[in-house]
Structures are given as structure tokens and as C-alpha cells.
Amino acid sequence: MPKLDIVELYKQGYSIDFIIDTYYKHKTRNDKPNEKIGNCILIKRKSITKDESKKKVYQEIYNYLK
């Protein structure tokens, strides 16, 4: 979800909680936590937490309002 989408949702009047939930769901759906390569090698990717989503949304809205 690009930062423009966060700002657009904010402009349309959606609540901050809704925007955070939408951003969190988008990031967790698109970022796979584990990926198997070959028969036995696993690469663990860091998945985003709810707090990180909240910080990102607040930061984008703050930068827009500045």
C-alpha cells in the first residue's frame, strides 16, 4: 500500500484505526513469512507487526499534515 493510499483514505474521512488495519492486512497478505527453496532451505522474512503498522500510518499522516 503506497503512502498515497494512506493519505487518500485519510482525506476521504476514514478513521485512523481503519487505515491501520487496512495497511496491516495489506502488508501481511503480501509478505510471506517463510519461503522454501529447494527441499530443505527456509528463508525467514520479517513480517510486520501491528505496532509497526501504526507507526507507519501515523508518520505518513503527520508528514501529509505538516
Side-chain angles (χ1 to χ4, degrees):
M1 174 179 225
K3 67 179 178 180
L4 291 177
D5 291 341
I6 294 171
V7 173
E8 287 300 317
L9 289 174
Y10 181 75
K11 283 182 184 178
Q12 293 173 4
Y14 288 99
S15 71
I16 300 290
D17 291 332
F18 175 79
I19 298 171
I20 292 169
D21 288 339
T22 305
Y23 181 77
Y24 176 73
K25 287 177 185 174
H26 176 77
K27 291 302 270 183
T28 55
R29 191 175 333 136
N30 291 335
D31 295 341
K32 298 176 185 172
N34 295 321
E35 185 175 326
K36 188 171 183 177
I37 298 177
N39 289 331
C40 61
I41 300 172
L42 290 176
I43 297 174
K44 294 194 176 203
R45 295 182 186 167
K46 182 183 174 197
S47 60
I48 192 164
T49 64
K50 194 77 165 190
D51 287 335
E52 291 171 342
S53 298
K54 184 187 247 184
K55 288 177 187 176
K56 178 69 175 170
V57 169
Y58 277 120
Q59 180 183 23
E60 293 299 328
I61 292 172
Y62 175 77
N63 287 338
Y64 165 72
L65 293 174
K66 232 169 52 166

